[in-house]
Amino acid sequence: GGITLKPSSFTPVTDQGVRSRFALEARDQIRVCDLAPMMSEAFENFNTAFRGAPEGPWLYVNERPMTLARWPNADTANGGWARFSEVVDTGLPDPNAADPKRRTARPGSFVFDDNRPKRWNINEGVWLLGYWTHDWSDEVIRVAAYDPEEKVLSLAAPHNYGILGGTWGNAERRFFAMNAMEELDAPGEWYLDRLNKRLYVYPEGAWANASIVLATQNEPFVRADGVQHVQFVNLTFECGHGDGLVIRNAEGVEIAGCSIQNLAGSGISIHGKDNTVRSCNLFHLGATGISLDGGDRRTLNPARNRAINNHIHHYGLFTRTYAPGIRANGCGQIAQNNLIHDAPHNAVLYGGNEHLFERNEIHHVVMETGDAGAFYSGRDWTSQGNILRHNYIHDLGSGDAKHVNTMGIYLDDCDSGETLEGNVFYRAGRAIMIGGGRDNIVRNNLVVDCPIGLHLDSRGMTWKQWNNPDHPSWMLEKKAEALNYKNPPWSERYPRLAAIMDESPREPLNNSILQNVFVDCARNVFDFDGNVKKLIAKIEIKDNLAVNTVGANGVANAGEYEGLKSLSGTEENPIDLGFADQGAQDFSLRKEARLSKELPSFQAIPFEKIGLFKDNYRESLEP
């Protein structure tokens, strides 16, 4: 999906005017390639503000995406972010302002107590990728000006939520600068002089034999519409500035044993029924890994599209939020035995009905975002009948430690009617979060070393957004009415939903918390707000076990709730529940494990069956 460049076409920079813009220690390391002889069309500049991939092209060396010249560098002690906490103008509209200009959204500005922007050629174009207010909303915005006396950075376009417009989580905001020639100062970085068509690179490693591709193709590699029973087997799609495969209105299509890598867009998008993505590797993607859609929500007719045994990692490189490893919508999608890791935001993002997410291993996701979950769904009563079973979710990003706003499974904003069964959470922040929803079943899960085991709140009772026309993304009853939820097949499949408006619809009723084991949840086993505690008789809590292996912190909630048994050991006599090897993250149970005796109703989780498995397709791929 691009043009191959020879290492020999890159030469030392001799233009003194250009050399003077580089850091002294980098000048002799940087190489330049004149693209004019091979690129007749002009390079478009970046938009003033955007989410996702910028205007192409993008550079890939040795099958890895290179870093557009940036500051701070990604490997710095601060994690590659510059930070600020004082805003000059949020840019949010004030309908009551005397100045008419302030009644509409406008570009914001903030105090940045660092003189680094003085180095940049702002007129040439420097962009900032920032989490400007919320840790789940990123946007790239061009710098309009920098005042070195007042130390104020002004942006060239408004951000939807304003600059420091108020957020749950860390009040300090963060960004990094990109596309600044002056910041081409580290191996693996590059910069494109779009006007003069000169490509600058700071090589890393052995350059003489490097594989260099400038990805220019904006269209998908494969676009298919209305096809049936077509196979894509053992193919590699790489180095494009768009998507990989976009399959629409398809039936019986199989993508197997393929590598989809180094793309600015998403890997595979499938809509239709009975299609399969099997044993593929998807990585270094700008957006989503695999998207599954299809089926009929009104009739609850399932699509049965499958994502099975895929390795999805290092995605969301450009679209850093809401670009998951697997996205599922519609009715009846299936995701089994996938390994998903290394991403800034969600692993699995879903909406709709009757999906099955089973035996997937997920780790090192939600690594730079907050108020986010490895599994995420929300703001919809009708997203019912989904099953999340026997997944292993571990080692997630820390988020904001004060709020523990990284979640393993996040049922947000009154999401209801889900089944979470037999999942294992290890070092996963707030393991299970139910944000005001009802009729959810949380059964036979194992939660280990997570600050909060299970959160349940009553936001439907307290938030003004609930069913409020002023907040159209909510409108929970209207969404249900659009699916004719009081009549078959909905009323037969989801009878509790059909009766919701007659059963205190704002209350988080009839959630079931059964047979779960919580080990070393240092802050809280159950994190319930005041309204939930008042409604506790309408929430089924039965046969749960809370364990503090060495007794260092006590067991929060121990004895507070009927249906939560507690055990506490000591440093000298720690409790051994009988995991095969917790240090090696093997949470299968040994024979005669103490856990089976303390909680006989707990069913052993088939831990050995979680994650990737070998088949003929996967044998041919790199691990």
Side-chain angles (χ1 to χ4, degrees), residues 134 136 161 166 168 371 379-381 412-414 435 458-479 506:
H134 299 297
W136 40 262
Y161 299 104
W168 178 57
D371 192 12
R379 202 166 293 180
D380 194 347
W381 279 342
D412 199 9
D413 292 347
C414 300
S458 60
R459 66 187 63 185
M461 301 171 66
T462 58
W463 288 15
K464 64 181 180 181
Q465 292 97 319
W466 185 89
N467 237 10
N468 187 338
D470 292 335
H471 298 273
S473 69
W474 282 69
M475 297 302 291
L476 303 175
E477 185 182 6
K478 185 176 181 180
K479 291 176 182 177
R506 303 189 70 163

Side-chain angles (χ1 to χ4, degrees), residues 54 94 154 160 257 291 316 329 385 406 435-436 440 478 524 535 543:
D94 179 1
S154 299
N160 188 47
S291 292
N329 287 301
T406 294
N440 297 294
K478 185 176 181 180
N524 266 326
L535 294 167
D543 288 342

Side-chain angles (χ1 to χ4, degrees), residues 62-63 234-236 238 256-262 278-284 309-313 339 341 612-623:
N62 295 331
E63 300 186 347
N234 294 341
L235 300 172
T236 297
E238 61 178 335
C258 293
S259 286
I260 298 93
Q261 60 201 55
N262 294 320
R278 182 191 307 276
S279 303
C280 292
N281 285 351
L282 302 99
F283 59 96
H284 294 160
N309 201 36
N310 301 289
H311 189 181
I312 308 166
H313 60 99
L339 173 59
H341 61 91
L612 298 177
F613 58 85
K614 289 187 177 181
D615 62 8
N616 291 336
Y617 298 116
R618 183 144 296 287
E619 288 278 358
S620 66
L621 292 171
E622 293 277 332

Side-chain angles (χ1 to χ4, degrees), residues 494-573:
Y494 314 124
R496 298 305 299 265
L497 176 63
I500 192 169
M501 294 307 294
D502 299 322
E503 295 182 350
S504 304
R506 303 189 70 163
E507 297 178 357
L509 304 181
N510 305 312
N511 290 293
S512 298
I513 306 169
L514 312 169
Q515 302 162 223
N516 302 285
V517 178
F518 302 91
V519 182
D520 294 333
C521 295
R523 185 174 296 191
N524 266 326
V525 175
F526 293 156
D527 184 30
F528 298 160
D529 70 12
N531 286 322
V532 171
K533 292 178 179 179
K534 292 176 184 178
L535 294 167
I536 204 70
K538 298 181 179 181
I539 298 168
E540 186 180 18
I541 302 176
K542 184 179 179 182
D543 288 342
N544 298 282
L545 177 65
V547 178
N548 190 315
T549 54
V550 297
N553 301 305
V555 180
N557 309 127
E560 185 176 350
Y561 299 103
E562 186 176 349
L564 179 62
K565 175 184 176 181
S566 64
L567 294 175
S568 188
T570 64
E571 291 281 358
E572 296 76 21
N573 188 24

Side-chain angles (χ1 to χ4, degrees), residues 178 192 198 369 378 396 406 416 441 461 468 473 511 568 581:
M178 57 187 287
L192 177 60
R198 292 184 175 273
T369 49
L396 304 183
T406 294
S416 301
I441 299 172
M461 301 171 66
N468 187 338
S473 69
N511 290 293
S568 188
D581 190 343

